[in-house]
Amino acid sequence: MTSTDITGEDEPRYVRLHIELVAEITDEGALKAAALEQVKHDDYMDDDERAQAVEAIELDPSGSLAHFIDPLQLLGDVPGVELAQATWESAHTEFDPENEDWDLYDTDAASGDGATEE
């Protein structure tokens, strides 16, 4: 049975994947330097985008990680799937690996602001 058998339509089905990762920055200087190099050699950025990216990296090096995220690598080899759209961001989070009460799926605890995403 295929998705078109279930829906009765010949249109592709879209699936939204929510993926949340918590990464520990162990060398902020190395991450910042690598992100600046990545931005410097990004052929798809115009000069204004490049300047904004450099400024953001200088202000908050934790945002540097976003320059290494490539959604195409997540779906690149999946047969029958084409990436339609992707967005991502990096942000500080309260995380204590020693605290057993920390729950990846508890949006209030993970974001620290009580907001939920629908």
Side-chain angles (χ1 to χ4, degrees):
M1 179 174 278
T2 67
S3 63
T4 56
D5 294 336
I6 295 169
T7 64
E9 299 174 8
D10 289 329
E11 296 180 24
R13 295 186 58 165
Y14 294 92
V15 177
R16 181 181 304 264
L17 299 173
H18 288 274
I19 299 171
E20 184 166 337
L21 304 168
V22 175
E24 178 183 5
I25 297 174
T26 58
D27 187 339
E28 193 171 290
L31 176 60
K32 181 178 169 181
L36 290 170
E37 276 297 307
Q38 182 87 359
V39 167
K40 179 180 175 182
H41 298 291
D42 189 326
D43 295 333
Y44 298 104
M45 282 188 173
D46 63 32
D47 291 341
D48 288 339
E49 289 173 314
R50 193 178 321 280
Q52 289 175 357
V54 167
E55 183 179 350
I57 292 167
E58 295 291 347
L59 288 174
D60 184 6
S62 68
S64 301
L65 187 56
H67 294 283
F68 296 98
I69 304 302
D70 184 356
L72 289 174
Q73 288 183 341
L74 293 173
L75 295 177
D77 294 331
V78 179
V81 176
E82 187 174 312
L83 181 63
Q85 180 182 11
T87 61
W88 63 97
E89 65 181 37
S90 60
H92 291 280
T93 187
E94 297 297 323
F95 176 71
D96 179 0
E98 304 295 322
N99 184 350
E100 293 177 9
D101 293 333
W102 195 85
D103 182 4
L104 179 65
Y105 302 104
D106 181 1
T107 306
D108 293 345
S111 68
D113 63 6
T116 59
E117 184 179 322
E118 295 184 16

